[in-house]
Amino acid sequence: ENPNRYYDSNKIKTRKYTILTFLPKNIYEQLHRFANIYFVVIALLNFVPVVNAFQPEVSVIPICVIMAITAIKDAWEDFRRYKLDKEINHMGCYIYSR
């Protein structure tokens, strides 16, 4: 008899993203940070002609750069988690049997 017949698998999964869900989940997580929301609102306010302080396109550059750098860092960390999960899931293990 297989002792794991009632379970789908015994794999470890610690990564947050897949290739398809990376962009939406990452943007969602980044917009939960107050500083990012603040800078997005300031950038959007610069597109209103009455309150703009300088060129609207220039105000978008800093927040895009910060969010891109954070996304690259998150992608790298998640890729490292994926590699460690793969390594651990392919390790040998001892099975206790009476």
Side-chain angles (χ1 to χ4, degrees), residues 11-97:
K11 292 185 178 182
I12 294 173
K13 180 185 168 210
T14 59
R15 62 187 173 133
K16 290 192 257 184
Y17 309 110
T18 64
I19 293 174
L20 296 175
T21 64
F22 175 75
L23 198 60
K25 278 187 177 181
N26 191 268
I27 290 173
Y28 178 77
E29 285 183 14
Q30 287 195 38
L31 289 178
H32 273 80
R33 297 182 184 133
F34 181 74
N36 287 349
I37 293 172
Y38 173 77
F39 285 112
V40 167
V41 168
I42 295 297
L44 291 176
L45 278 176
N46 271 328
F47 282 96
V48 178
V50 177
V51 289
N52 68 344
F54 42 87
Q55 293 177 343
E57 298 82 17
V58 175
S59 66
V60 175
I61 294 171
I63 189 66
C64 287
V65 169
I66 296 298
M67 289 180 77
I69 290 172
T70 305
I72 291 169
K73 178 192 68 88
D74 290 345
W76 178 252
E77 288 177 356
D78 202 59
F79 179 69
R80 288 180 52 210
R81 278 192 216 108
Y82 168 74
K83 283 178 29 179
L84 283 171
D85 291 347
K86 192 173 177 181
E87 180 181 323
I88 288 172
N89 287 331
H90 286 91
M91 281 183 163
C93 64
Y94 294 109
I95 298 175
Y96 177 73
S97 179

